[in-house]
Amino acid sequence: MADAPDIVDLTITNVAHGGVFVARHEGRVVFVPDTLPGETVRARLVDTRKKSFWRAETLEVLDASPDRVDHVWSSSSIERDPRDRAGGAEFGHIALERQRRLKADVLSDALVRFGGLDADSPLTRVAVEPTPSDEGGDGLRWRTRVSLHVDEEGRVGPYAARSHRVIPVDDLPLATTEIADAAPLHDRLQGATTVDVVASTDGVLVAVDGAASTGALHERVGDRMFSLEPLGFWQVHREAAELLSAAVASAVDADRFDATAPNLDLYGGVGLFAATLADRFGTGIRVTTVEAESSATDHAAENLVDIVGARAVTDRVDRFVRAIGREGDLARYRDATVVLDPPRSGAGTALVGELAALQPAQIVYVACDPVALARDTKALRSSGYELASVRAFDLFPHTHHVEAVAAFSRSGDRRS
C-alpha cells in the first residue's frame, strides 16, 4: 500500500446502484467506480465527509476479474487519470454478459430491499435481455441521440465521469455511425455550451445550444410514423421504441383489457404506448395520453389521429390523476388499463396511491431506474396490487442503466 493516507487497497465485493461497486475500509462502506466484484484495486479516497459511506476512485487494478476486458472507449480507460475519464460508459471495462448479470443483480436487490418482495420469488430473478441486434454482439453503435458539452476554449466532448469538466474525445463508440460521423468533436465552438446530435428517420440533426434548423422530426415504429420536436424526448437506443412497444403490448393482459374503458397512457410523450394499445386492440379503443410538455401532446394528437377514441391532454400527471379522484365517478376506471412511463425518479408514493384509488384493472409500468421501480412496486403492493410480471432489457450497453417493464393487477382479481 502506498504511503499516502488517502491511497488504499480495496477488495470489491459486489455491485451497487448507480454504476459503482462496493468495498469496505476500516469497517466503512466505500463506493468505487471502474472496477467489478472480485477485484482488488488501488484507489484514492475522494469523499470521506459522510459517516455512512465514503467514495473512492480506482487508480490501478492489482488483481483483475476474468470478466475485465479492454475498455470499449479508450477515453474512459483505467489507464487515464480518473479526472480525465470520459463519462457515459461506466461498464465498458466489463464483458457484456457480466454487465447484464450485474444489472440483473441490482434490479433483484432493489425489488427485495425496496419493493418488499421475497428473495426467493421468481419475480426477483429477472434476466436482462439483450436487444435483437446486440445478442452476441459488442454492445456498440446504439445511441441515436448524443448530448455533448463545450468548454471555455470551445472544445467539444462529454463531461468527465461525475463531473462537469469537458473531456475532448476522438470517437463516440456507443453512438450510431451516423451520429459519430456528424458530431463536431474536432471543431472549436467558441461561445457555445452544448451540442446535441440526433438521428431520426429524416436524417441527422446537429443543434448547437438548442438551435434546431428544422421542424418536426419523424420516427418509425412498425407501421407507424411518429412526429416529435427535434430535441424532444425519444428513446435513445435505436431499437428501444419498437422493443418497448412490443414488451408493453405483451405485458397487457388481454382478458383484463376493455376497449371501452377510460384507458390511460401517463407520461405519454408523443403517444408511443397509446398507439401500442391501439395496434394490439384496435383503433376503436378509448385511450387518453397525458404529458406535461405541450409540444409533445401536440404531436401526440397528430400521431394518434387514426384512433377514434384517443385524446392527448397537456397536464402534469399527478394533477390529472388527482382531478379524476375528485370527479366522484371512479367506478368506470375499474376496467381501465393504465400504462405509465415516469421519469427516472419514478411515479412516487403519492401518485401511486391516487392512481391505485381509481382501481384500474391493470397497470403496466415502464421503468428506467430499478430503485424507483422497486419503491413504486412497494407502494402499489400496499395499495392492493400484485406484481404479475417483470422483464428487463439492456437498452444501455456499457452503462449501468437498465430498462424494465412491469405488470401489476388488482390483488385477488382473477378473470377468466
Side-chain angles (χ1 to χ4, degrees):
M1 185 181 298
D3 293 334
D6 60 341
I7 304 297
V8 295
D9 292 350
L10 301 171
T11 297
I12 309 303
T13 56
N14 59 309
V15 64
H17 178 55
V20 294
F21 299 84
V22 180
R24 287 189 176 272
H25 178 64
E26 298 178 351
R28 181 179 278 100
V29 168
V30 183
F31 292 128
V32 195
D34 301 318
T35 181
L36 66 161
E39 292 193 327
T40 300
V41 299
R42 182 154 293 159
R44 178 187 293 117
L45 298 173
V46 293
D47 187 350
T48 58
R49 294 170 298 175
K50 294 183 182 295
K51 292 183 178 180
S52 55
F53 65 87
W54 288 351
R55 294 190 181 276
E57 56 190 18
T58 300
L59 302 176
E60 179 185 358
V61 179
L62 303 178
D63 185 12
S65 164
D67 291 315
R68 177 175 283 274
V69 298
D70 290 338
H71 205 292
V72 298
W73 195 9
S74 61
S75 297
S76 296
S77 171
I78 190 75
E79 282 74 31
R80 294 173 68 109
D81 186 285
R83 294 167 295 183
D84 294 331
R85 293 173 195 163
E90 62 276 7
F91 275 12
H93 62 288
I94 306 172
L96 264 177
E97 282 300 318
R98 184 65 187 280
Q99 289 184 34
R100 291 170 183 145
R101 293 198 301 273
L102 290 170
K103 294 178 187 185
D105 290 345
V106 170
L107 177 57
S108 174
D109 180 67
L111 289 171
V112 172
R113 291 177 59 206
F114 301 104
L117 295 181
D118 192 314
D120 295 326
S121 169
L123 292 170
T124 67
R125 296 193 293 274
V126 181
V128 175
E129 305 172 35
T131 62
S133 71
D134 279 345
E135 194 167 3
D138 57 12
L140 303 177
R141 302 299 176 202
W142 52 266
R143 290 194 70 101
T144 62
R145 283 153 170 75
V146 171
S147 292
L148 301 170
H149 305 275
V150 185
D151 67 12
E152 293 179 352
E153 298 178 31
R155 297 177 301 180
V156 178
Y159 281 144
R162 296 166 293 279
S163 169
H164 285 169
R165 185 162 159 264
V166 174
I167 303 298
V169 298
D170 292 323
D171 61 346
L172 298 170
L174 302 191
T176 64
T177 300
E178 295 81 5
I179 290 286
D181 289 345
L185 298 179
H186 303 293
D187 293 354
R188 287 294 181 113
L189 303 180
Q190 205 71 43
T193 57
T194 63
V195 179
D196 289 283
V197 190
V198 177
S200 70
T201 303
D202 304 319
V204 178
L205 167 72
V206 179
V208 178
D209 287 344
S213 59
T214 184
L217 297 186
H218 298 85
E219 296 282 1
R220 179 175 292 280
V221 180
D223 295 329
R224 282 188 177 272
M225 191 73 79
F226 292 84
S227 68
L228 63 151
E229 289 298 291
L231 300 184
F233 174 78
W234 188 256
Q235 296 292 338
V236 171
H237 194 291
R238 64 182 185 276
E239 296 180 87
E242 191 147 356
L243 186 152
L244 289 175
S245 183
V248 167
S250 176
V252 174
D253 183 346
D255 291 332
R256 297 174 185 271
F257 188 82
D258 184 343
T260 65
N263 303 298
L264 298 174
D265 172 20
L266 303 180
Y267 307 98
V270 297
L272 175 64
F273 296 131
T276 296
L277 296 179
D279 289 342
R280 181 175 179 195
F281 297 104
T283 55
I285 69 167
R286 290 181 61 193
V287 61
T288 298
T289 182
V290 184
E291 168 62 49
E293 177 56 54
S294 60
S295 62
T297 47
D298 288 344
H299 286 289
E302 176 185 344
N303 296 332
L304 305 175
V305 70
D306 65 309
I307 303 171
V308 177
R311 66 184 184 121
V313 174
T314 301
D315 202 353
R316 276 189 2 217
V317 169
D318 58 343
R319 187 163 52 197
F320 177 86
V321 173
R322 195 174 304 121
I324 292 175
R326 291 196 295 263
E327 290 176 2
D329 183 17
L330 303 185
R332 60 197 183 101
Y333 283 91
R334 285 187 58 83
D335 293 323
T337 291
V338 177
V339 179
L340 70 157
D341 182 11
R344 194 171 301 281
S345 57
T349 302
L351 174 59
V352 166
E354 292 165 349
L355 183 60
L358 304 181
Q359 299 186 57
Q362 58 187 324
I363 298 170
V364 177
Y365 189 125
V366 181
C368 58
D369 184 274
V371 171
L373 170 63
R375 287 173 174 151
D376 288 344
T377 294
K378 182 176 183 179
L380 281 165
R381 293 177 73 230
S382 67
S383 298
Y385 282 81
E386 298 174 347
L387 178 61
S389 67
V390 59
R391 294 176 69 188
F393 303 96
D394 195 15
L395 296 184
F396 308 91
H398 302 299
T399 81
H400 73 277
H401 298 292
V402 62
E403 198 90 5
V405 176
F408 298 85
S409 58
R410 284 195 303 255
S411 301
D413 186 2
R414 298 287 184 265
R415 296 190 178 191
S416 59

